Amino acid sequence: MKSKKKARSTAEDAAHLSREDAAGLYAERRRRRSRSKGLKVLALVVVCVVALGAVGAWAYLSNIEGRLNSGVDQKLRGTLTTTEAGDPFYMLLLGVDKSEERAESSEYGQDSSNYRTDSIMLARIDPKDKQVTLVSLHRDTLVDLGEHGQQKINAAYSLGGPSYTVQVVSQFADVPISHYAEIDFDHFEGIVDALGGIEVDVPIDIDDPYAGEPIKKGLQTLNGAQALTLCRSRHAYDAYGDGDLYRAANQRMVIAAIVKKVLASDPATMTATISSMADAVSTDLSLADILSLANQMKGIDMDKDVYTGMEPTTSSYVNNTWYEICDTEAWKTMMTRVNQGLSPYASADEDPTGTDAGGTVNVKNDGGTDATLPDSTTFDTNTGADKDGTDYSGTVEVLNGAGEEGLAGRVANSLARYGYDTSAGTARNHYDDTVVVYMNDAAKAKAKTVAKVLGGEVNVIDASAGYTSDADVLVVLGTDLRDYS
């Protein structure tokens, strides 16, 4: 009633106004209605923008999570165990090389599903105490794979995929595994580059042509390509012992550096970083799980609260193949300490690589010495040749077929002192007698000189027996040179 009365009053007032005043009154009323309508439209636009933003954000986050979980199926999820929120848990970290070159060279076949597990690592994560323990497993560890017989542990991935690998590692380590993450080394560079690089103290000069470009030792920021080289390199350590030990230690060091960089970022940056990682990482964890865990681990002291270790093994030549044989008692002792939240090692002397808690590799030399150089009165170190014309130039690849740790590295270092461009590696088979192979007729004289440097009765042959190498000369070391120094 009140509104109708007011409307009539306004109309009556208008009747007493002049024509011009009445026109102005009605124009004002139209302007008010127009402003009111405009505000309603603006409000609707704002609501729509917010709604569309929410939809966009949801689509963005869903896309990240979809890529993260793309390689995880229900079979894998069914293999993983559940843990109470905040309790310590184990996570299996696998480094898988899915490059076409690796797939084609797989010992398990030519199919692209037969990728190699190059890195196997157990991570114990304790959110309450803000502590992480990383334990590497030798990929060549001999294990019983049931119906598949005794094989290297990294064969589990080719035989049964992630779920079977989780099952095998869980049984081997006697721990429940709650989460899984797989890193595709073919896309690993992007992870590090997305972080703007990682700070790493490279223990020695890394010069391994099989891994990538050389890296100088020392504290520095590595880009993606350099970090990948560090994670792949093992021949750079041939002079110090088992290169796989040092490579695994470097992988743990790189993982720790990545975690440190991620935890130092804000949630928005962290989400963007995870998005850039999603094409290289496959995990059962959701994006919310990762952000929550990162928040719980904020404040971790990476120098004191990150422990690292390596499965204790010894090398053994079985049925024409080299395997790592686990020291079961030492392994049980190590995992008991890990379960208790302690360092894998009771003392630093137990670590074969001398790796400290923060991941820095302290190289231990195995005591090998270089062979005596030619008489300095006849040897020209600038040209790599004797003054009597003997040529010590060219490339030489040295492969260890004797089973003596560090042997190929010692021999390669000795030959390098003469002037040769050398590389070292491990032969696929066991050899009793050392052979020096020239890859072409032009390298025959070089091969004879290399054999002379090695000393003893060393056979010099051509490559017709099936030997292959990109070097001028290939040296395959046998047990007859196990004591070479």
PDB file of all heavy atoms in Angstrom, residues 153 248 390:
ATOM      1  N   ILE A 153      67.535 -57.818 -10.304  1.00  0.00           N
ATOM      2  CA  ILE A 153      66.315 -57.213  -9.759  1.00  0.00           C
ATOM      3  C   ILE A 153      65.682 -56.223 -10.728  1.00  0.00           C
ATOM      4  O   ILE A 153      64.460 -56.029 -10.720  1.00  0.00           O
ATOM      5  CB  ILE A 153      66.603 -56.550  -8.392  1.00  0.00           C
ATOM      6  CG1 ILE A 153      65.295 -56.291  -7.632  1.00  0.00           C
ATOM      7  CG2 ILE A 153      67.423 -55.277  -8.560  1.00  0.00           C
ATOM      8  CD1 ILE A 153      65.513 -55.885  -6.182  1.00  0.00           C
ATOM      9  N   ALA A 248      75.032 -44.176  -8.014  1.00  0.00           N
ATOM     10  CA  ALA A 248      73.865 -44.204  -7.135  1.00  0.00           C
ATOM     11  C   ALA A 248      73.945 -43.099  -6.086  1.00  0.00           C
ATOM     12  O   ALA A 248      72.938 -42.468  -5.745  1.00  0.00           O
ATOM     13  CB  ALA A 248      73.739 -45.564  -6.460  1.00  0.00           C
ATOM     14  N   THR A 390     108.059 -43.354 -31.838  1.00  0.00           N
ATOM     15  CA  THR A 390     106.941 -44.171 -31.364  1.00  0.00           C
ATOM     16  C   THR A 390     105.738 -43.284 -31.079  1.00  0.00           C
ATOM     17  O   THR A 390     105.841 -42.278 -30.383  1.00  0.00           O
ATOM     18  CB  THR A 390     107.321 -44.935 -30.088  1.00  0.00           C
ATOM     19  OG1 THR A 390     108.472 -45.732 -30.355  1.00  0.00           O
ATOM     20  CG2 THR A 390     106.175 -45.839 -29.647  1.00  0.00           C
TER      21      THR A 390
END
